[in-house]
Amino acid sequence: MTEPGTEQVSSNVETPAQPLLPAGVQTWLPYRSWFGLREKLVVLVLGVALISMVSAAVAFFIVSQRYMETAIEAHLASVARLHAQRIEEYMNFLRSELRLICSRTQLRKALSDYIDHRDPAALEQANQILSDAKRSVSAFDNLLIYGIDGRLITSISAISQESQQLDPATRDNLLYSHKVTSTIVGADGRRLLRAGGPLMAEQRAIGILVVLSGMEPLRAISSGSGGWVSEELIITEPDASGRDRPITPLRFAMAEDISPVALTQIKDQDPIKSDERNLLSGKDYRGAAVLATTHTLKSPPWTIMVKIDQDDAFRPIRDQRDLWLALMLLVLVCVAIVGVWLSSHFTMPVLGLAEVAVMIASGDFKRRMQHFSRDELGMLSYSVNRMADKLVDVSAELETQLRLQHERADRLNDQLIHANNELHWLSRTDSLTKLFNRRTLEETLENEWLRAIRTGHSLAAIMLDIDFFKRINDRSGHAAGDECLRRLGSVLKDTVQRTGDFVARYGGEEFVVLVIDANVDHACTFAERIRTRLAEEAIPHPESDLGPVVTASMGIAAMMPSNKRSPQELLALADQALYMAKSHGRNRIETAAQD
């Protein structure tokens, strides 16, 4: 008996007791869905948690994506403006130095004398002034003087083919103002920055002074690394065909004569920012997806582009996503644990009571409630357990008697099965040699005959007889004859090893071996192996005319089974061959030809 406030472990017996119900009354076992109260509570808790976390994650990632794009755009635009300011400062420096050189009176006077009188000394003096100016400014690579028609007058260093003459557009620009025009290729193959302005004498232009500066200052400006590993600044200018070409080295490329990047606009053009573009996306010269902003200079007409790889730019968001997924998984596991605990705490008493009530209704009186409390559920659980105890006391004796009857019936059934198996085995085997008997031989021969007809295989039979076996019984007694038969049966059993071949005692001292899928030659080989094995066994035979050991005569027959023939014809042919073996002197093998 169970008292309130205690805990009892339920136990199940192998054979549940049958309910004691009046005749004609059937038990009704209600169907319980697999999706019960506990599962619903767990799914509800997990669903609310999952929906809340997914909604928060989606909102967070959308806001983070937009914030990251805004931050990237602001950073790239800031870097582009900063480098534009540095480049503009350098351009102002070049223009101021250019104006300073152009304002030298001696240079203008020497050029004017050379133009008017073609005085070589005047040209030499101009070259000396230009050389002094080049030494004073380390950034200058070469200084050149062109006539107002654009033809070269003098140069203090070697020049390339491109510097021989100014094109009309460049000449017109430099006749009226001091400016940086473009880049050209120098005599040594390096790309140089070209700036120029007019040389004036008495309010008229007498020539054009051009300064070629190295690109090292610009490359130093563009080589600085920003906040991202893949951040890169590229300065481009349009070539003769209008295609942008980089004039600063590309960080990740072996050659510079390539298109740096092809961009498309992520956002619509902001009409307020006339000199700037919003965040752009595209693929650069490596084929990598990038984000970029551009800044266009008016003079010279350069484009400053700052770009970073999208993979590098959005790495923080991916890291946050991975962290969110890990946290979501951790929270889901915690919520699942809490949900399972809550569902078990609140629903287990109800489920346990329902399960015990159903089991008692179905006849299992050994189930008990394991949860007790001081509330109404605890009182109901106690009452159900008391009722089950009463039913157990009533049905215990019936269960014991029924179990004893079942055990007795099982023992009798096992004995009957064992006796039937023994009887079946004895009916199919020879008790002396433990080989199959003649009845089993006939059944097997019939089955193999039908199988050979279906498969088209031949079937061979070896009929064996012990030579002078009767003399063993007469001289040594039947016990010695039985031992001889047993040893011969053991020899045949050891020799017949191929699956499907069959050996049986035909009667007395005669034995039959069925060889499956074999012709006469195969059967003869098999018979020779039996004769050899029998000679090795050396069974004593004191009265044999052929020697001191037991020998055997064998007759062999083989044929292709068909529906027009009978399996007994095969045995008859083998018997005829055995008769010939005995007639021809025994201890030999004879074959019978098929009609």
Side-chain angles (χ1 to χ4, degrees):
M1 303 298 290
T2 306
E3 298 296 334
T6 63
E7 182 173 351
Q8 179 178 346
V9 179
S10 65
S11 61
N12 297 325
V13 297
E14 296 180 3
T15 306
Q18 301 296 325
L20 302 178
L21 297 173
V25 178
Q26 297 181 352
T27 60
W28 175 74
L29 186 63
Y31 171 75
R32 180 180 180 272
S33 173
W34 64 272
F35 195 69
L37 292 176
R38 179 169 54 185
E39 290 77 13
K40 292 178 181 178
L41 183 57
V42 172
V43 170
L44 178 62
V45 174
L46 287 177
V48 172
L50 182 60
I51 292 174
S52 301
M53 288 189 294
V54 169
S55 301
V58 171
F60 174 79
F61 285 124
I62 292 176
V63 173
S64 298
Q65 183 82 12
R66 293 179 179 175
Y67 173 78
M68 184 61 70
E69 289 181 359
T70 303
I72 292 172
E73 180 180 2
H75 171 77
L76 296 181
S78 174
V79 172
R81 286 194 299 269
L82 176 62
H83 285 83
Q85 293 175 1
R86 293 178 180 177
I87 294 173
E88 187 63 31
E89 290 175 359
Y90 182 67
M91 298 302 163
N92 291 334
F93 166 75
L94 290 180
R95 284 191 288 268
S96 64
E97 292 293 330
L98 183 65
R99 291 192 185 95
L100 182 62
I101 297 173
C102 291
S103 65
R104 292 189 178 185
T105 305
Q106 293 180 353
L107 177 62
R108 290 181 292 167
K109 183 176 181 304
L111 180 61
S112 179
D113 291 342
Y114 175 77
I115 293 174
D116 294 338
H117 307 291
R118 295 297 176 179
D119 185 4
L123 182 61
E124 182 64 27
Q125 183 181 4
N127 288 336
Q128 184 63 38
I129 296 173
L130 295 179
S131 299
D132 294 340
K134 179 179 181 298
R135 284 193 295 269
S136 64
V137 180
S138 60
F140 288 170
D141 186 87
N142 195 3
L143 286 88
L144 307 93
I145 297 179
Y146 292 89
I148 58 176
D149 58 354
R151 293 183 179 180
L152 179 67
I153 297 177
T154 185
S155 170
I156 63 174
S157 300
I159 61 174
S160 62
Q161 185 68 27
E162 190 176 357
S163 302
Q164 295 291 335
Q165 184 171 352
L166 296 176
D167 59 272
T170 304
R171 181 199 62 191
D172 294 341
N173 286 333
L174 298 181
L175 278 175
Y176 302 103
S177 63
H178 297 80
K179 61 179 60 178
V180 180
T181 59
S182 61
T183 61
I184 64 173
V185 178
D188 56 357
R190 294 186 302 121
R191 184 163 292 278
L192 303 174
L193 185 63
R194 182 168 63 184
L199 288 169
M200 307 295 293
E202 298 178 359
Q203 303 299 321
R204 67 183 180 89
I206 60 175
I208 300 172
L209 176 63
V210 173
V211 174
L212 300 181
S213 173
M215 300 292 293
E216 287 76 11
L218 290 181
R219 292 177 179 176
I221 291 174
S222 63
S223 63
S225 177
W228 283 273
V229 176
S230 61
E231 183 174 324
E232 183 178 8
L233 182 138
I234 303 174
I235 302 176
T236 62
E237 68 174 0
D239 57 12
S241 62
R243 177 172 172 265
D244 287 341
R245 64 179 180 183
I247 61 174
T248 54
L250 303 176
R251 288 180 59 190
F252 308 107
M254 300 300 295
E256 295 184 0
D257 191 17
I258 57 176
S259 178
V261 64
L263 298 174
T264 56
Q265 205 161 8
I266 290 182
K267 302 176 182 178
D268 295 332
Q269 179 68 32
D270 190 349
I272 299 177
K273 300 178 181 179
S274 58
D275 58 340
E276 297 180 4
R277 299 173 66 186
N278 289 329
L279 190 62
L280 306 172
S281 66
K283 291 187 177 180
D284 65 359
Y285 51 88
R286 301 167 298 160
V290 297
L291 299 175
T293 58
T294 60
H295 187 93
T296 302
L297 299 178
K298 295 181 180 179
S299 178
W302 292 351
T303 299
I304 301 175
M305 179 188 302
V306 184
K307 70 177 185 67
I308 57 174
D309 292 350
Q310 292 188 19
D311 183 69
D312 190 19
F314 294 116
R315 183 175 290 110
I317 293 182
R318 291 198 307 273
D319 295 340
Q320 290 179 354
R321 178 196 62 194
D322 296 339
L323 179 61
W324 265 87
L325 291 177
L327 291 177
M328 287 177 62
L329 181 60
L330 179 62
V331 171
L332 283 178
V333 172
C334 295
V335 170
I337 295 174
V338 173
V340 171
W341 181 82
L342 288 175
S343 64
S344 301
H345 183 74
F346 289 107
T347 62
M348 283 301 292
V350 177
L351 295 176
L353 182 60
E355 184 178 0
V356 170
V358 170
M359 297 307 295
I360 291 176
S362 63
D364 186 0
F365 301 134
K366 296 300 183 182
R367 298 296 298 270
R368 296 292 185 273
M369 284 295 299
Q370 300 181 6
H371 178 82
F372 298 102
S373 59
R374 297 294 180 179
D375 54 12
E376 291 79 2
L377 285 176
M379 297 177 61
L380 182 59
S381 300
Y382 175 71
S383 300
V384 170
N385 287 342
R386 291 291 300 270
M387 178 183 64
D389 291 338
K390 293 293 185 181
L391 293 175
V392 169
D393 293 339
V394 173
S395 61
E397 184 63 25
L398 292 177
E399 291 179 2
T400 302
Q401 293 297 329
L402 182 62
R403 185 170 58 254
L404 292 176
Q405 292 295 331
H406 284 171
E407 291 176 356
R408 183 169 179 270
D410 290 340
R411 288 195 299 271
L412 292 176
N413 188 47
D414 292 340
Q415 293 175 3
L416 181 60
I417 292 174
H418 181 71
N420 287 335
N421 291 337
E422 288 290 337
L423 181 60
H424 179 72
W425 176 254
L426 290 176
S427 67
R428 292 178 56 84
T429 58
D430 177 57
S431 60
L432 178 63
T433 61
K434 305 305 179 183
L435 299 176
F436 290 106
N437 56 23
R438 183 168 180 171
R439 175 186 173 187
T440 307
L441 170 64
E442 293 174 350
E443 294 176 355
T444 304
L445 177 59
E446 183 70 27
N447 294 332
E448 294 297 336
W449 187 272
L450 295 177
R451 184 180 294 110
I453 292 174
R454 293 194 303 270
T455 60
H457 294 156
S458 61
L459 190 63
I462 303 173
M463 186 169 289
L464 180 146
D465 184 82
I466 300 176
D467 296 329
F468 305 109
F469 178 73
K470 185 175 181 301
R471 296 180 184 180
I472 297 177
N473 288 332
D474 295 341
R475 172 67 182 273
S476 302
H478 290 281
D482 292 345
E483 178 63 21
C484 176
L485 293 175
R486 277 194 294 269
R487 293 181 67 178
L488 178 58
S490 182
V491 169
L492 294 176
K493 189 181 299 184
D494 293 341
T495 306
V496 179
Q497 296 179 351
R498 198 177 64 162
T499 303
D501 293 342
F502 181 84
V503 60
R505 184 181 179 187
Y506 194 65
E509 66 274 18
E510 291 184 344
F511 297 83
V512 173
V513 179
L514 292 181
V515 186
I516 308 303
D517 190 15
N519 54 25
V520 173
D521 294 335
H522 293 158
C524 287
T525 302
F526 195 92
E528 284 292 346
R529 192 160 63 245
I530 295 175
R531 197 152 69 102
T532 301
R533 182 66 182 86
L534 182 60
E536 293 174 354
E537 186 70 15
I539 304 172
H541 194 322
E543 296 296 329
S544 176
D545 294 344
L546 303 176
V549 296
V550 171
T551 59
S553 300
M554 284 177 273
I556 298 175
M559 64 174 56
M560 293 294 295
S562 66
N563 293 324
K564 297 180 180 180
R565 290 182 175 273
S566 169
Q568 299 304 322
E569 294 183 29
L570 180 63
L571 294 180
L573 283 175
D575 188 57
Q576 292 177 13
L578 176 61
Y579 179 77
M580 287 189 293
K582 288 183 177 181
S583 300
H584 294 162
R586 302 177 186 269
N587 190 20
R588 59 188 295 117
I589 300 171
E590 293 288 346
T591 61
Q594 179 180 352
D595 293 340

